[in-house]
């Protein structure tokens, strides 16, 4: 173990194990701040029970907006109360600040290991930038690793990267807690080579039902953009080829025009672009329509980025077009519209993008998704349950999509005839509630009457009264403008004999089975008129 790694020695009070009082899942003590939601209280207890195991490797999966940081803070706070040390790994400056703010609000003073921050090694919890800690402690040995009994990995779907793996491997005796809304690689496969136990929070449908998240209303073409010929690298489209396909005037201009059409209240919006040039073109297209739009990417200065995002939250900016910046760790409940202008094969990336708009806010009934690239068709709606797995050979996907594939059912999108939102073809529209009306199809009926089956094994056939049947046929003849002779011929056909019918019979409304019988005879006659295929030439 590297110098300065997890606390050494034989004192079990410095290790996570069955002897630790903190790990006993006592529900009455985990919600001392009164800020945990009911499911979070339950999840904290479940996590503590799993972390009791020696060298536990636990992945906590909670949708965007479900409060992963709050749960992690509760677990960390209890660890500190028992005299333990914690290390929280993040990979972005924004996440570092958010985590520090949340811990401080919960009464936990943390040191920060990142460029531009003074060292505070005496704090029992350290929040570390993965890049900084890897550079200083793993590759250059400028510092020793901070001691830790609990290692929390934020946005843990990145934990398979080399820098993350090096740090995690340096803490073999610490309990490892991963946090992610999308616990999978870009390819969609699981993270079982890093984590061993999956603890699932309630998924999006339940959180919507409980008013912790909002649903979506999705607009887009059923098929999306033609991406045939665009290659894949590392589980997603090659960016340069992708940009050449989507960064075209007709697509860029359409994004702004459709935004006005489907977002008439001009709800604050995040747009996901493919590269910087695409971002600039989209931003300018919105500006040309009089929209207060800004653009950010990884090279945008920190101060400018903070100002733009602050203005978005305040409503000064209406639209922020971004390239790979706002997919994680950005929390702005006021965002009510997501524009997908960047196609992706990555199920995890798709869920992260649409998740930015699911947090509830005042007067926000749902999040509008303008999907220009067919991402919803490829990956499913944000509301669909997901079959998450740690299996490194199995891809995560929505349960609805998995079920359709198992039954060999087509999964095609269509635009709702009432509200134009996307919905699965043949299914109700989740945006407005429209339900497809099945088209009536002629059913060929086998002419057979049911018989009474008696307990002694005998059967009694109850004959249909020919005169009653004839009177019902007269009703149908009158409806269709036929002569009474048609009814007489049909009743003879039904009973296979010449039926003696009285004069001046009064028609009666036919029963459904009579109409079905007439329809079956019509179908049979139509089939008999089809030309028969000719035999082989002689």
């Amino acid at each position: 173990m590297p110098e300065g790694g997890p606390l050494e020695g034989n004192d079990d009070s410095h290790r996570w194990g069955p002897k630790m009082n903190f790990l006993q899942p006592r529900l009455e003590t985990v919600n001392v701040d009164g800020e945990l939601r009911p499911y979070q209280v339950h999840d904290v207890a479940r996590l503590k029970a799993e972390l009791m195991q020696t060298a536990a490797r636990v992945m906590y999966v909670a949708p965007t907006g479900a409060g992963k940081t709050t749960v992690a803070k509760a677990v960390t706070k209890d660890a500190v109360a028992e005299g333990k040390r914690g290390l929280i790994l993040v990979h972005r400056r924004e996440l570092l600040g958010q985590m520090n703010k949340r811990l401080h609000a919960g009464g936990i003073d943390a040191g920060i290991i990142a460029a531009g921050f003074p060292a505070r090694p005496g704090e029992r919890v350290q929040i570390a930038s993965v890049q900084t800690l890897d550079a200083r402690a793993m590759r250059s040995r400028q510092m020793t690793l901070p001691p830790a009994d609990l290692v929390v990995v934020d946005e843990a779907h990145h934990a398979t990267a080399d820098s993350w793996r090096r740090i995690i491997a340096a803490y073999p005796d610490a309990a490892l807690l991963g946090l992610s809304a999308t616990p999978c690689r870009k390819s969609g496969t699981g993270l079982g080579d890093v984590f061993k136990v999956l603890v699932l929070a309630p998924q999006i449908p339940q959180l919507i039902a409980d008013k912790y998240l909002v649903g979506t209303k999705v607009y887009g073409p059923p098929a999306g953009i033609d991406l045939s010929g665009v290659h894949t690298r590392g589980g997603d489209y090659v960016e340069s080829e992708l940009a050449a396909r989507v960064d075209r005037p007709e697509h860029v201009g359409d994004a702004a025009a459709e935004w006005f059409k489907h977002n008439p209240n001009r709800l604050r919006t995040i747009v996901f672009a493919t590269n910087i040039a695409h971002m600039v073109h989209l931003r300018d297209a919105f500006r040309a329509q009089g929209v207060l739009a800004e653009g950010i990417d990884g090279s945008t200065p920190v101060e400018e980025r903070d100002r733009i995002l602050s203005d978005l939250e305040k409503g000064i900016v209406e639209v922020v077009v971004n390239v790979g910046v706002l997919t994680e760790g950005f929390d702005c409940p006021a965002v009510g519209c997501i524009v997908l202008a960047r196609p992706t094969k990555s199920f995890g990336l798709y869920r992260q993008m649409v998740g930015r708009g699911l947090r509830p806010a005042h007067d926000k009934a749902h999040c509008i998704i303008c999907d220009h690239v067919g991402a919803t068709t490829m990956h499913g709606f944000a509301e669909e349950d997901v079959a998450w797995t740690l299996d490194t050979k199995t891809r995560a996907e929505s349960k609805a999509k998995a079920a359709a594939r198992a039954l060999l059912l087509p999964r095609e999108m269509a635009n709702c005839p009432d509200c134009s939102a996307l919905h699965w073809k043949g299914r109700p529209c989740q945006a407005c509630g429209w339900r497809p009306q099945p088209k009536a199809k002629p059913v060929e009926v086998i002419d057979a009457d049911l018989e009474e089956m008696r307990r002694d094994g005998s059967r009694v056939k109850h004959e249909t009264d020919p005169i009653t049947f004839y009177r019902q046929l007269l009703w149908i003849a009158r409806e269709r403008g036929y002569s009474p002779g048609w009814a007489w011929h049909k009743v003879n056909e039904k009973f296979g004999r010449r039926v003696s019918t009285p004069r001046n019979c009064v028609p009666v409304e036919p029963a459904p089975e009579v109409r079905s019988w007439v329809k079956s005879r019509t179908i049979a006659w139509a089939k008999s008129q089809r030309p028969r295929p000719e035999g082989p030439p002689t």
Side-chain angles (χ1 to χ4, degrees):
M1 182 182 301
E3 181 183 356
L7 295 178
E8 301 175 356
N10 297 321
D11 183 359
D12 282 342
S13 66
H14 293 302
R15 301 188 61 180
W16 290 66
K19 294 183 180 180
M20 293 184 60
N21 293 332
F22 152 68
L23 289 167
Q24 303 305 319
R26 297 168 294 159
L27 296 183
E28 69 274 12
T29 65
V30 297
N31 199 19
V32 291
D33 295 331
E35 68 169 343
L36 294 181
R37 300 167 180 172
Y39 69 85
Q40 291 174 332
V41 174
H42 179 62
D43 288 353
V44 169
R46 292 164 63 203
L47 289 171
K48 291 165 74 172
E50 292 294 345
L51 292 169
M52 288 177 63
Q53 309 305 315
T54 302
R57 298 289 183 264
V58 182
M59 168 64 79
Y60 178 55
V61 183
T64 301
K68 293 180 292 296
T69 304
T70 300
V71 170
K73 184 187 77 172
V75 173
T76 304
K77 185 172 183 177
D78 281 355
V80 171
E82 292 292 333
K84 311 307 168 190
R85 292 182 178 272
L87 172 64
I88 301 175
L89 301 176
V90 300
H91 74 298
R92 287 189 175 178
R93 175 181 172 276
E94 295 85 359
L95 298 174
L96 188 149
Q98 288 176 17
M99 184 65 73
N100 185 47
K101 183 178 179 181
R102 297 296 293 276
L103 291 177
H104 183 74
I108 302 174
D109 290 327
I112 296 178
I113 303 173
F117 290 87
R120 298 170 60 190
E123 302 296 347
R124 302 197 70 83
V125 176
Q126 297 291 320
I127 308 172
S129 159
V130 171
Q131 295 85 349
T132 301
L133 188 60
D134 182 56
R136 293 179 182 177
M138 305 303 298
R139 289 185 285 135
S140 67
R141 304 292 179 176
Q142 296 177 18
M143 62 172 286
T144 58
L145 285 167
D149 307 289
L150 168 67
V151 176
V152 178
V153 181
D154 197 17
E155 304 295 351
H157 44 278
H158 297 293
T160 57
D162 290 343
S163 55
W164 296 73
R165 283 181 179 272
R166 282 191 291 267
I167 297 172
I168 292 171
Y171 293 90
D173 296 326
L176 179 67
L177 173 59
L179 311 173
S180 181
T182 55
C184 59
R185 293 171 167 83
K186 272 190 176 182
S187 63
T189 55
L191 306 174
D193 49 345
V194 179
F195 300 95
K196 303 305 177 186
V197 177
L198 205 62
V199 175
L200 297 174
Q203 293 212 31
I204 291 177
Q206 184 61 51
L207 294 174
I208 292 174
D210 293 340
K211 309 300 183 184
Y212 293 121
L213 297 178
V214 299
T216 64
K217 184 177 285 190
V218 185
Y219 298 96
I225 295 176
D226 179 16
L227 297 176
S228 57
V230 178
H231 294 88
T232 301
R233 183 185 302 144
D236 208 348
Y237 295 111
V238 175
E239 183 181 291
S240 58
E241 297 179 14
L242 187 63
R245 193 67 61 88
V246 301
D247 190 11
R248 297 178 177 178
E250 62 269 25
H251 297 320
V252 170
D254 184 54
E258 291 295 317
W259 183 80
F260 278 103
K261 179 179 178 181
H262 299 298
N263 185 20
N265 295 325
R266 298 174 74 144
L267 301 175
R268 275 161 274 185
T269 300
I270 296 175
V271 183
F272 290 94
T274 300
N275 61 11
I276 295 177
H278 190 209
M279 178 267 288
V280 171
H281 295 154
L282 285 165
R283 181 202 64 190
D284 291 348
F286 278 99
R287 286 180 174 179
Q289 298 292 327
V291 180
L292 300 171
E294 296 284 359
I296 59 175
D297 61 83
S299 65
T300 304
V302 172
E303 295 77 9
E304 182 180 354
R305 184 192 307 181
D306 289 346
R307 176 191 61 78
I308 290 172
L309 296 181
S310 176
D311 287 349
L312 177 69
E313 191 166 357
K314 296 173 184 176
I316 299 172
V317 169
E318 296 176 282
V319 173
V320 173
V321 188
N322 84 104
V323 182
V325 174
L326 303 181
T327 52
E328 299 169 345
F330 174 67
D331 302 339
C332 181
V335 170
C337 179
I338 300 294
V339 177
L340 300 177
R342 182 223 192 281
T344 180
K345 280 189 172 182
S346 171
F347 180 73
L349 177 57
Y350 163 72
R351 300 282 292 200
Q352 291 282 355
M353 290 191 293
V354 296
R356 298 306 114 195
L358 301 186
R359 286 180 171 84
H362 180 64
D363 290 337
K364 179 179 173 181
H366 52 257
C367 176
I368 298 168
I369 309 291
C370 294
D371 181 2
H372 295 268
V373 294
T376 307
T377 303
M378 178 178 289
H379 301 297
F381 288 99
E383 291 90 335
E384 294 176 350
D385 275 341
V386 179
W388 296 116
T389 177
L390 289 176
D391 188 350
T392 57
K393 296 182 179 179
T394 302
R395 296 177 186 272
E397 62 180 342
S398 76
K399 293 181 180 179
K401 187 175 181 180
R405 189 184 67 256
L407 296 173
L408 302 179
L409 299 177
R411 291 283 281 174
E412 299 178 9
M413 288 282 184
N415 291 108
C416 174
D418 282 0
C419 73
S420 300
L422 283 178
H423 68 98
W424 290 118
K425 187 176 290 186
R427 302 291 297 170
C429 174
Q430 66 180 33
C432 71
W434 172 87
R435 303 182 71 86
Q437 299 299 319
K439 296 180 180 179
K441 296 182 179 180
V443 178
E444 189 167 355
V445 179
I446 298 176
D447 187 16
D449 295 321
L450 298 182
E451 300 175 348
E452 179 184 354
M453 301 173 61
R454 295 185 172 176
R455 287 174 175 78
D456 61 3
S458 63
R459 292 172 177 262
V460 178
K461 185 174 182 179
H462 293 269
E463 292 281 356
T464 303
D465 175 36
I467 302 304
T468 301
F469 198 85
Y470 173 65
R471 294 174 66 190
Q472 295 178 73
L473 290 172
L474 285 173
W475 182 289
I476 296 175
R478 187 174 63 183
E479 283 182 339
R480 299 184 178 185
Y482 299 163
S483 69
W486 174 86
W488 185 76
H489 284 292
K490 285 298 177 185
V491 74
N492 291 340
E493 180 183 349
K494 165 68 176 175
F495 292 95
R497 58 184 173 86
R498 186 184 181 92
V499 177
S500 178
T501 57
R503 293 178 178 271
N504 302 321
C505 273
V506 178
V508 295
E509 186 171 358
E513 57 267 22
V514 176
R515 289 190 182 277
S516 295
W517 181 85
V518 171
K519 183 178 289 186
S520 72
R521 296 301 89 203
T522 303
I523 294 171
W525 179 85
K527 287 183 176 180
S528 70
Q529 303 304 304
R530 294 176 183 171
R532 296 183 179 180
E534 298 181 359
T538 57

